[in-house]
């Protein structure tokens, strides 16, 4: 008897719980005042440098989850977050972003080294999705990403030692490289005109140049450009490190400019090295130091339409901008968690409209910036900015924490 009453009581409580959930779902769907979002706050105009200098760079937004491209969570997901306080999994929140690419801002591709995959933010469709979760294109540790003019996506996977290619819709196309060619691929960059794919093989202290379609090894750039065989362990590559022109110590990022010149972030040599399309060393930018124009923990590199070079430094928590011949023009960013501030930034890309995307790694977001006018592309006009911002950036000793 008592057992039957207990069962009935539990049933009544369950019915009440389901009823309350149904009411909440209905209220959410109706958009009642208690569930409506507050009006958006007025945008803060963040610019660099500060007045009275003429501003050159402006903050325009950030990406951290699907909400940032207008993805609707749906009533059930919103209710789950209210009741449980858990972020909806289909919003694809970034965990440890490392590299970024964009096709004119319509889509932004983020290689996340913690998730091991690539998160695709789609402004057009107001959606977010994930590349490399299964099948032949499954990714283990995505570290670099770039996109061609057709929307094909190239992702370096350091765990499988290859570059995986997806089409615009996320379908697996092919894989390039492999264990006989690559040891620890990180950054990737394209020269579509010459049909070349550049891969920063950080563990091998080289840049591998592959034929874009077949993946055939065209050449290597580094201390030993043509090793007799591909070593299998890190110790085997130690002899390949070097600090002379054309040699590397843990290269991490790449960028190709409009003339086919290859810019390599030579991280542990604290410099950007620049090569001709044929692989000939041209010049380098930067050196080890703790002041403007030098590097402490350089990570990402990018080039704008005028040939200006943008270098991300994880210890300075900023982006330094140099002219094509290495003259420091200006910098933007500082340590922090607010808009326009960075915490161990990593990768960077600049799209065809010169919009700048910076991986703010430990803030788990991509920050987006825009040049304010064409003067940002003119080194002579832009160079006058440095005198008004000529102080050492805040330095943070990261040790080995941000190696990858």
């Amino acid at each position: 008897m008592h057992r039957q009453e207990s069962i009935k009581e539990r049933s009544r409580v369950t019915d009440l719980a389901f009823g309350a959930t149904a009411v909440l779902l209905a209220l959410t769907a109706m958009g009642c005042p208690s569930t409506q979002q507050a009006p958006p706050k007025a945008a803060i105009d963040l610019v660099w440098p500060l007045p009275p200098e003429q501003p050159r760079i402006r903050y325009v937004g950030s990406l951290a989850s699907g909400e940032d491209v207008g993805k609707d969570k749906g009533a059930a997901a919103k209710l789950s977050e209210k009741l449980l306080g858990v972020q909806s999994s289909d919003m694809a929140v970034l965990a440890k972003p490392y590299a970024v690419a964009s096709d004119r801002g319509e889509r932004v591709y983020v290689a996340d080294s913690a998730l091991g995959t690539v998160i695709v933010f789609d402004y057009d469709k107001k959606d977010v999705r994930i590349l490399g979760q299964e099948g032949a294109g499954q990714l283990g540790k995505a570290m670099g990403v770039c996109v061609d003019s057709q929307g094909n996506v190239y992702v370096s996977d350091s765990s499988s030692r290859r570059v995986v290619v997806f089409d615009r819709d996320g379908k697996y196309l092919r894989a390039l490289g492999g264990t006989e060619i690559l040891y620890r691929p990180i950054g990737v960059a394209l020269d579509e005109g010459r049909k070349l794919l550049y891969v920063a093989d950080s563990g091998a202290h080289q840049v591998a140049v592959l034929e874009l379609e077949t993946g055939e090894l065209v050449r290597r750039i580094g201390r030993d450009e043509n090793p007799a065989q591909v070593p299998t362990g890190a110790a085997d590559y130690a002899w390949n490190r070097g600090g002379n022109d054309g040699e590397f110590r843990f290269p991490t990022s790449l960028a190709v400019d409009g003339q086919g010149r290859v810019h390599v972030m030579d991280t542990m040599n604290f410099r950007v090295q620049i090569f001709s399309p044929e692989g000939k060393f041209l010049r380098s930018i930067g050196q080890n130091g703790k002041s403007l124009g030098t590097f402490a923990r350089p990570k990402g590199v990018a080039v704008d339409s005028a040939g200006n070079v943008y270098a991300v430094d994880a210890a300075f928590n900023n982006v330094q901008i140099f002219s094509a011949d290495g003259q420091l023009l200006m910098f933007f960013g500082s340590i922090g968690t607010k808009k326009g501030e960075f915490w161990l930034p990593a990768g960077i890309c600049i799209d065809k409209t010169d919009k700048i995307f910076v991986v703010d790694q430990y803030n788990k977001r991509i920050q987006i910036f825009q040049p304010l006018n064409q003067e940002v592309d003119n080194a002579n006009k832009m160079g006058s900015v440095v005198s008004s911002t000529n102080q050492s950036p805040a330095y943070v000793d990261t040790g080995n924490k941000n190696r990858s």
Side-chain angles (χ1 to χ4, degrees):
M1 181 70 176
H2 291 293
R3 183 181 178 187
Q4 290 177 346
E5 288 178 356
S6 177
I7 292 172
K8 288 180 180 179
E9 179 63 21
R10 286 201 301 269
S11 178
R12 188 176 68 83
V13 171
T14 301
D15 290 342
L16 286 172
F18 275 114
T21 302
V23 170
L24 283 170
L25 282 170
L27 288 172
T28 304
M30 291 169 60
C32 64
S34 62
T35 61
Q36 288 179 347
Q37 294 183 351
K41 297 179 181 179
I44 300 174
D45 195 16
L46 294 176
V47 296
W48 293 265
L50 293 173
E53 298 287 351
Q54 181 179 347
R56 311 288 177 164
I57 302 288
R58 179 172 66 92
Y59 169 87
V60 296
S62 67
L63 292 171
S65 73
E67 287 182 282
D68 297 315
V69 292
K71 181 177 175 62
D72 186 7
K73 294 181 181 179
K78 291 176 183 177
L79 178 62
S80 175
E81 288 187 12
K82 279 183 176 294
L83 296 178
L84 304 176
V86 178
Q87 176 74 34
S88 175
S89 61
D90 68 348
M91 299 307 284
V93 179
L94 297 176
K96 192 179 179 183
Y98 189 82
V100 62
S102 174
D103 54 357
R104 295 183 178 273
E106 294 175 6
R107 295 182 181 184
V108 179
Y109 304 84
V110 183
D112 193 301
S113 62
L115 299 177
T117 55
V118 170
I119 309 299
V120 185
F121 295 93
D122 193 323
Y123 282 99
D124 246 5
K125 295 182 178 179
K126 296 183 178 180
D127 198 10
V128 61
R129 56 192 175 85
I130 302 175
L131 295 182
Q133 289 185 296
E134 58 186 7
Q138 183 170 351
L139 300 169
K141 190 173 184 179
M143 294 298 295
V145 61
C146 62
V147 57
D148 67 21
S149 58
Q150 304 302 311
N152 297 319
V153 187
Y154 300 75
V155 184
S156 63
D157 184 352
S158 65
S159 66
S160 65
R161 296 163 65 173
R162 62 180 185 161
V163 176
V164 183
V165 188
F166 302 90
D167 70 9
R168 182 175 174 82
D169 298 318
K171 178 184 176 182
Y172 168 78
L173 295 179
R174 61 188 180 278
L176 310 174
T179 57
E180 294 183 359
I181 296 177
L182 301 173
Y183 177 63
R184 189 169 180 255
I186 304 291
V188 286
L190 292 168
D191 184 341
E192 283 192 80
R194 295 174 178 81
K195 297 183 179 180
L196 297 175
L197 174 69
Y198 291 89
V199 184
D201 196 344
S202 186
H205 314 288
Q206 291 181 332
V207 172
V209 187
L210 309 181
E211 204 283 325
L212 192 56
E213 292 295 328
T214 65
E216 179 184 350
L217 180 64
V218 177
R219 60 178 168 271
R220 300 179 192 271
I221 305 173
R223 186 170 184 173
D224 186 348
E225 297 179 358
N226 297 292
Q229 60 182 8
V230 178
T232 57
D236 297 328
Y237 279 110
W239 50 265
N240 205 30
R241 305 178 192 179
N244 296 325
D245 293 345
E247 298 176 350
F248 304 108
R249 284 191 178 95
F250 298 101
T252 53
S253 301
L254 299 163
V256 178
D257 67 16
Q259 298 181 41
R261 292 173 297 204
V262 187
H263 297 67
V264 184
M265 181 56 81
D266 187 8
T267 294
M268 298 308 292
N269 279 324
F270 309 97
R271 63 187 179 182
V272 177
Q273 293 201 68
I274 304 170
F275 299 84
S276 73
E278 295 74 35
K280 179 184 177 182
F281 172 81
L282 298 176
R283 59 186 171 278
S284 65
I285 297 173
Q287 60 183 348
N288 189 17
K290 296 185 180 181
S291 60
L292 286 171
T294 66
F295 299 126
R297 184 73 62 172
K299 286 291 184 180
V301 64
V303 184
D304 67 18
S305 61
N308 296 323
V309 180
Y310 293 63
V312 177
D313 198 300
F316 291 163
N317 290 285
N318 70 10
V319 179
Q320 297 187 77
I321 308 175
F322 300 85
S323 64
D325 60 3
Q327 176 190 358
L328 177 64
L329 303 178
M330 64 171 287
F331 76 93
F332 64 93
S334 59
I335 187 170
T337 59
K338 298 177 183 177
K339 296 176 180 179
E341 297 178 341
F342 303 112
W343 186 10
L344 297 178
I348 183 173
C349 80
I350 299 176
D351 70 12
K352 300 299 183 182
T353 66
D354 277 340
K355 189 172 290 184
I356 307 158
F357 299 80
V358 182
V359 177
D360 190 4
Q361 190 175 45
Y362 273 65
N363 282 324
K364 300 181 181 181
R365 64 187 177 184
I366 306 300
Q367 295 206 65
I368 308 169
F369 304 85
Q370 180 73 60
L372 284 172
N373 51 54
Q374 293 303 311
E375 289 186 6
V376 76
D377 296 332
N378 188 308
N380 293 327
K381 294 180 181 178
M382 194 173 177
S384 63
V385 175
V386 176
S387 62
S388 66
T389 57
N390 193 21
Q391 72 270 10
S392 297
Y395 173 81
V396 177
D397 187 0
T398 60
N400 292 323
K401 185 177 182 181
N402 198 36
R403 179 64 61 86
S404 61

